[in-house]
Amino acid sequence: MPLRSLSLQLYSVRHAIDEDLPGTLARVAAIGYRQIESSYKLYSRGPEFLDAVTANGFVSPTMTSSLIDVDLEAVFTAANRLGANTVVDTFIPEEFWTSDDDVTRIADHLNAAAVKAADYGLRVGYHNHWWELERRFAGRTALETLADRLRPEVVLEVDAYWVAVGGEDVLGLLGRVSDRVRFLHLKDGPVNRENTQQLPAGQGKLPWPEILDAVPHLEAGAVEFDDYTGDVFEAIAASFAYLNPKVEG
């Protein structure tokens, strides 16, 4: 199963962006990336970000933002400006996943956001960490419980590495939620919570060819590092070199 497209989640180079936003995006483009996963936080920095996106010819199929207790009109307007088709909530903290009722409340927020997003021609999605896999209700992971309660148009962006860290079989989980999955986060490593030990895709324990085969509706994958001990630009270049040949030609 080839990737349809490959992005870089700009959180990976956030420290460089804080030092030099235009220069950082130019370095990302020089590696070969033509897509980015942008964020409402970056967009909110002002025109410098959108100017750098345009100058480097990037497209941004996904934009990340909280979808709870935020100005959804402003978020979705930003997504339209960036040319995104999906806004993904990438972080609902662990303490909000303590009960079945918590999952219902989260689903209600995402469903309400999906209705609003449709007015802007957008979808919404949710991105997991490890706790949505560790937490179980009635014998099922919290992530699957959430998926059951989402409107049909709400999609998942699965971080396969965090699925493994959460103790779940990645291929098994993807098989059960594949109808929802449109995006993947692509990172690797020894499968633990030590972010500094994360590795480029293909250099850790995850079976990436099999993972890609398990997602028949995949629209894009996004390379991401939560942290990295070495040169992060070398790391994102290594991931690009491994994954880009898998992009449909």
Side-chain angles (χ1 to χ4, degrees):
M1 176 69 189
L3 280 164
R4 288 182 60 187
S5 58
L6 180 64
S7 303
L8 175 70
Q9 165 51 258
L10 290 179
Y11 184 78
S12 308
V13 291
R14 62 195 179 279
H15 301 306
I17 285 174
D18 287 342
E19 295 293 327
D20 179 6
L21 191 158
T24 297
L25 266 63
R27 289 184 71 181
V28 170
I31 289 169
Y33 287 94
R34 296 294 175 261
Q35 288 189 175
I36 54 172
E37 185 167 71
S38 53
S39 71
Y40 181 63
K41 181 179 180 180
L42 281 172
Y43 177 87
S44 299
R45 290 173 59 138
E48 181 185 34
F49 176 64
L50 191 56
D51 288 348
V53 169
T54 301
N56 289 286
F58 286 127
V59 295
S60 181
T62 50
M63 186 190 86
T64 66
S65 174
S66 174
L67 294 170
I68 300 175
D69 296 329
V70 296
D71 183 345
L72 290 176
E73 181 177 351
V75 169
F76 296 149
T77 298
N80 283 159
R81 291 285 307 280
L82 285 163
N85 60 55
T86 306
V87 179
V88 182
D89 193 320
T90 57
F91 186 72
I92 297 178
E94 187 174 2
E95 59 265 28
F96 294 100
W97 296 85
T98 62
S99 69
D100 187 89
D101 287 343
D102 280 349
V103 178
T104 297
R105 280 191 288 272
I106 292 166
D108 288 346
H109 281 292
L110 294 175
N111 288 335
V115 173
K116 181 73 171 178
D119 294 337
Y120 293 79
L122 297 166
R123 296 177 301 188
V124 303
Y126 183 71
H127 165 283
N128 63 282
H129 289 78
W130 66 81
W131 49 83
E132 299 95 330
L133 288 308
E134 284 186 342
R135 297 285 169 84
R136 290 179 171 271
F137 306 107
R140 304 183 73 241
T141 67
L143 184 64
E144 292 170 86
T145 303
L146 175 70
D148 288 345
R149 298 174 188 179
L150 293 173
R151 294 173 61 91
E153 66 269 28
V154 180
V155 301
L156 294 179
E157 178 180 68
V158 171
D159 189 310
Y161 189 73
W162 288 138
V163 170
V165 171
E168 197 67 25
D169 175 74
V170 177
L171 297 178
L173 183 280
L174 288 172
R176 296 193 297 274
V177 299
S178 62
D179 286 349
R180 288 271 185 188
V181 182
R182 297 295 183 275
F183 306 101
L184 287 173
H185 267 197
L186 310 166
K187 59 174 174 270
D188 217 330
V191 185
N192 62 38
R193 297 184 191 177
E194 295 296 330
N195 289 350
T196 57
Q197 295 181 21
Q198 290 176 9
L199 296 170
Q203 296 184 20
K205 291 188 174 182
L206 294 191
W208 281 110
E210 291 86 353
I211 288 171
L212 295 177
D213 281 342
V215 190
H217 306 296
L218 184 65
E219 297 177 13
V223 169
E224 184 199 36
F225 289 85
D226 295 275
D227 206 343
Y228 190 68
T229 54
D231 184 328
V232 71
F233 289 96
E234 292 180 0
I236 64 174
S239 283
F240 183 85
Y242 175 76
L243 291 163
N244 193 55
K246 298 174 174 59
V247 176
E248 290 178 338

